[in-house]
Each structure stands twice: as structure tokens, then as C-alpha cells.
Amino acid sequence: MAILTFVEVSEGKIKKASLEAAAYSSKIAETSGAESVAVVLGEASADEVSSLGKVGVKVVYHAADARFNTFNSKVYSKAIAEAADKASAELVVLSFNQNGKFLGPRIAVRLSAGYIPGASELPVLEGGKLSAKKNVFSGKASATYQIVTAKKVVALTPNSFPIVKGEGTATVEAFSPSVSDADFGVKVKSVDKVTGTIPLTEAEVVVSGGRGLKGPENWWMIEDLAKEMGAATACSRPVADVDWRPHHEHVGQTGITVRPNLYIAVGISGAIQHLAGVNQSKVIVVINNDPEAPFFKAADYGIVGDAFEVMPKLIEEYKKFKAAH
Amino acid sequence: MKILVPITKVPDTTSKIAFADNNTKFNSDGVTFIMNPTDEWYALTRAVELKEANAGSEVVVINVGAADNEQIIRKALAIGADRAVRVDANPTDAFFVASQIAAYAQTENFDLVITGKETIDFNSFQVGGMVAELLDWQAVGLVNKLEVAGTTATLTREIEGGTETVETSLPLVVGATKDLAQARIPNMKGIMGARTKAIQVVPVTAVESRTEITSFTLPEKAKQVKLVSPDNVGELVRLLHEEAKVI
């Protein structure tokens, strides 16, 4: 059997979240004696595509067709389902990232497959069924989902599976899915993207600020620490609501859910809606001058203190640490 | 324009989560249920705004669930939906729900299906995408702006580190996220009007579930925060490196 990973490229580069999904598939393939196959839609260099071999992918179907450079859940679903048939894949894996969230259910319907959205651990395969854990109730609990159908689709939560790179080059096969021009039909008019920073959902470290910072002019302390740490910046909802920071930085129940290795919250009280967006972080550090801030109950490390005094020290201490390591 | 808005019932955000029957079922004792926030605040409200801006439009809400879901259905009618459909069934999985919605959608000529981006109980983002595939429609998710002119829709959606504005044509499934609309509180006129609006009950379409939840797990214990003195910030850096091993 085969396991097919949908690997997303953006401007010709493989997305980190997709690399995690490919590594996840290869691990399942290794333990179940299956072959790890990937499908790439859109233009990317041969070197970029064959580098999937480093995470254990043996064969890549590459549709190097410029029409696929724009994401479109309808045509992507068709093409990926066709690749799954071509590979005789019993399992299709993709990332539970922005595009994957709308794509996964489409692929599952197309393949008459059961679907697990947002798996956070390796699955258990037993008697033709697949089980995997995912977070439910906005991180307040987890649930084991079991797929009972012959074909299966799993979307992997970003930053929940490590990328371990080895040696290897994947064989690249040209792939021409049978889709028509009419299947495309989503045109990109404009993109408003912060360049030169790390996308929030892909960041391993996130530095986040709240109302405790008193105004947008004080955001240098969040940005400086983030820059030193190679981290993404984020904010709480009230901060985005008053336009101190752009909306795409808002993490929480109605904003973005993040799952970094380290989440540093500065001047954020930790309302339940905010926690819902960050409680899957591996380690949480809270800096707040209010010892009663509810966020301390969800934190691993905390400093009860004034951000205006603590942050400059933290930036200095981190610089020292970086110089020594 | 005819717009279908699927709505679902979820435990209130602040509910204490507990499980019953050997951790295989959600324990609803003492839990307050609400309309899923993104369904209400963004999907339904944007649908009502579009209706108000386009004469001759209609907003229909659909819920898959038992008779006691009527409370949230009435609220949707009070916010401004014209009529409601309830598929009389206990949902078994997302595919089951999506199949019911798609089956109903095919009985009328809808231009738009607007769903909330996710439900706050299972956080699955499934129903919108599944309905789109079942109907073979175009779909755009994580949408925070939606304008319709004729049969062309212009949407802004969230992408990694920013937003993207796209154009596509109707019919279309939209997954709504924050800022798509300004949430509304039903007024007295709406609440009174909702009492006389129709809730059509339709029988279930037979569908086999494709997934099941075999068990739930609660986090082992509350975290114990380790406090570091503000006069010794270097200690935090040391702990993050040596103990937590995240830097």
C-alpha cells in the first residue's frame, strides 16, 4: 500500500507544515511497510521537489502547471484524489493549515474516506481502522477519532510532528491530473502579506503582547525580542480590535490557533478565549504585573513584574545567551 | 440571492468540560448550549447584511439536530433569517451532517452557503468543505470579507502571515471567520417576528458515518507555574534552555 502526502508549495518553496506532514507519512509508512508518496501542485524546481526524499518520500507526483500556483480547494481536491488513485493510496495526509482546513474534508468526500482533522500524534492502525488523537473543545480536552472506512484522510496539526532530515532523493514523476479550465476559476486579485517575518502558524517561538503594553508605540519590546529569538509576533484580541496591531496577529478563539514550542505572553491577562488559541503550545511563559492574572494558571513559567522593566532585561539576557551558545 | 446558513449548537465557551460513560460521551449536565459563535456572529450576520443590501434575497438557516435545538433556531430567525429548516436527526459525524445539508441545498437553488469557520466543540473545520465537495461547488475558507456583485464574489481570506483577496463566481461555499460581519443582538421586533417564522422539519437522509470518537481525555492536571523573580530574568532564559529545552 501507499501513503500519499499533499505537499503545498508557496512561490516554489515547500511549506514547513507540509514537510511535517510528509515526515509524518514517512514515519507511518516505515512502521506499516507502506511506500511514502507525495503530490506537489504548482511550479517548483526539480531540486526543491526531489528534496522531499530527505524526509523519506520515495516518489513525488509533480503537476508543474502554473494554473495550480493559485490555491483552489475544488481543483486541488480533484487533482489530489486522482493522485491517491494513481498511487493506490489507502491513506492521504495533509497539513491542517489554512488551506488544508478546507481541502481535507473535500478530499475525504471525493475518496469516500473517513477524515481526522487536526491529528496531533501518530495514528494507530489496527484491523483496517485508523485512530488518532486530536484536540477538542478548543484545547480543553482531546479525543481519539477512529476512521472506519477503507480509505482514510488525516490532516496533521502544524508544529506537532518533528521534521527529521536524512539522506535521500525522491524520484519525481510528471503528473497531469485530468482537470479542465472550468475547474479553476478562483483568481487572486491581491495579496497583503507581511514579508520578511515568520508566519505565525509556522513559528516555533511566538512573542505576544496584550493591553498591558499600554499602546502600539511600546511594541518595540515584543518585536525586538521576537527578532532576537527568530520568533513570530502575535497579540490578544483587544489589541487587534483597537488597531494597535493587525488582525492577522490576533490569536485566540476567534483568531488564529497557534501551537509553537514556546509562547511568551506579555501583558495578556489570559481570558479563556485567548487560552483557546494558545493552550496547545508546548511551553508557555507569562509576564504580567498582576499576580492574579488567570494566564499564570496555564503557564509553565512566569514573571510577576512590570513588562517595561522585565522586557528590556529579557532581551539583554537572551542576547547574552545567544552569544554564548 | 438565496443564502443557506448551517448553524450548530455547542457548549458555551466558558463551560466546564466533562465526560460520561467511561469517557466515551460528552457530559451535558449543567452545560449551557449556544449557537456556534462563528456561525452566528459572522456567517449568519453577513448573510443577513447581504440580504438587506440586495432586494428579493432570502436567508434560510439549517440545523441538523433534535427538537430541543429550536431555541438556537429561533435566535437565528430573530437575528434576521427568513425561515429555518431542521433535519430531524442526532448527528453522528461531520460527514453525516454535511450530507444532510447538501441534500437539502439541492432541493432549492441557493447561490451561497455560508458556514462558520469551525465549531468550538470539535474544532474540525469539516462541514463547509464537505458540503462544497458534495455539491461540486467552489469554496473559500477563513473569509473575513465577502462582497457579491451579480454572480461574482470577491472575498478576502486569511493566509499564512496575511490575507489574500480572490474573485470567483457563484454558487459558492464560504467559511466565515472574524470580521466578516458585525455581530448583532436580536432586538424585540426580531424576537417577536421570529415566533411566527416557519421552521420546516425534514426527515433524515440515510448516511453511514465514516468516523467515530472512541474516547475523550482530559488534560492530566493543571499546570503548576514556576515563578521567576523580575530581578533575575537570566534565570528564565536558563530554565527555558536547560529545563524546558525550547531555546
Side-chain angles (χ1 to χ4, degrees), chain A residues 8 15 17 70-75 77-78 96-99 101-102 105-117 129 131 133-149 182-194 199-202 205 229 237 240-241 247-248 250 252-257 261-262 264 272-273 279 281-285 287 296-306 310 313-314 317-318 321 325, chain B residues 10-19 26 37-38 41-42 93-95 98 115-142 144 154-169 172-179 208-219 222-247:
Chain A
E8 216 181 316
K15 287 189 179 175
T70 301
F71 176 75
N72 168 333
S73 66
K74 186 179 176 190
V75 77
S77 166
K78 280 191 180 168
F96 195 56
N97 61 356
Q98 273 91 334
N99 288 340
K101 281 171 178 169
F102 240 60
R106 294 199 78 139
I107 300 168
V109 166
R110 198 149 194 102
L111 294 172
S112 301
Y115 171 54
I116 301 179
K129 292 177 179 173
S131 302
K133 250 188 181 180
K134 80 178 245 21
N135 276 288
V136 291
F137 299 103
S138 304
K140 285 193 246 177
S142 57
T144 302
Y145 277 60
Q146 186 174 63
I147 300 177
V148 298
T149 50
D183 291 325
F184 289 88
V186 173
K187 277 186 294 201
V188 176
K189 309 293 283 181
S190 62
V191 176
D192 178 11
K193 204 169 165 177
V194 184
L200 195 45
T201 46
E202 293 194 356
V205 179
M229 300 186 85
R237 177 171 177 164
D241 281 351
H247 275 288
H248 62 76
H250 158 211
Q253 186 158 287
T254 50
I256 293 171
T257 304
N261 294 339
L262 174 59
I264 302 176
I272 197 158
Q273 290 83 353
N279 60 14
S281 307
K282 290 185 188 105
V283 172
I284 294 176
V285 173
I287 298 168
F296 283 115
K297 289 198 173 71
D300 299 277
Y301 300 98
I303 295 181
V304 178
D306 186 348
V310 173
K313 285 188 204 163
L314 184 55
E317 290 294 340
Y318 187 78
F321 164 80
H325 288 83
Chain B
V10 295
D12 182 33
T13 312
T14 53
S15 302
K16 190 168 161 49
I17 302 301
F19 302 103
F26 177 66
T38 53
W41 300 341
Y42 312 123
D93 70 352
F95 178 67
T115 67
K117 69 163 179 173
E118 65 173 325
T119 62
I120 61 168
D121 49 3
F122 297 111
N123 310 107
S124 290
F125 290 83
Q126 292 194 78
V127 169
M130 286 185 173
V131 169
E133 192 68 31
L134 288 164
L135 297 172
D136 198 27
W137 286 10
Q138 203 54 262
V140 183
L142 294 171
N144 59 26
T154 307
L155 310 98
T156 302
R157 69 177 189 109
E158 290 175 358
I159 57 172
E160 285 93 347
T163 57
E164 178 179 86
T165 301
V166 298
E167 191 179 277
T168 187
S169 41
L172 175 70
V173 175
V174 174
T177 190
K178 196 183 168 230
D179 295 335
E208 294 264 335
S209 295
R210 292 174 174 178
T211 55
E212 57 189 57
I213 292 176
T214 52
S215 67
F216 289 100
T217 327
L218 287 167
K223 281 186 177 177
Q224 194 61 48
V225 62
K226 195 176 261 188
L227 288 176
V228 175
S229 160
D231 300 321
N232 191 12
V233 176
E235 174 68 2
L236 176 66
V237 176
R238 188 192 69 79
L239 286 167
L240 292 176
H241 177 62
E242 290 176 12
E243 191 178 82
K245 295 185 169 63
V246 287
I247 59 172

Side-chain angles (χ1 to χ4, degrees), chain A residues 7-31:
Chain A
V7 173
E8 216 181 316
V9 288
S10 171
E11 287 154 21
K13 295 280 172 229
I14 293 169
K15 287 189 179 175
K16 179 179 164 243
S18 289
L19 210 53
E20 292 166 0
Y24 179 84
S25 293
S26 297
K27 186 72 189 174
I28 304 167
E30 190 187 303
T31 47

Side-chain angles (χ1 to χ4, degrees), chain A residues 186-262:
Chain A
V186 173
K187 277 186 294 201
V188 176
K189 309 293 283 181
S190 62
V191 176
D192 178 11
K193 204 169 165 177
V194 184
T195 49
T197 60
I198 298 152
L200 195 45
T201 46
E202 293 194 356
E204 286 173 12
V205 179
V206 173
V207 185
S208 189
R211 263 185 305 194
L213 290 177
K214 296 189 170 77
E217 68 279 10
N218 299 321
W219 236 260
W220 58 269
M221 54 178 100
I222 299 293
E223 283 166 343
D224 284 5
L225 182 62
K227 200 172 152 214
E228 288 299 326
M229 300 186 85
T233 55
C235 69
S236 64
R237 177 171 177 164
V239 163
D241 281 351
V242 295
D243 288 332
W244 288 0
R245 299 297 293 176
H247 275 288
H248 62 76
E249 279 201 0
H250 158 211
V251 295
Q253 186 158 287
T254 50
I256 293 171
T257 304
V258 293
R259 194 195 169 96
N261 294 339
L262 174 59

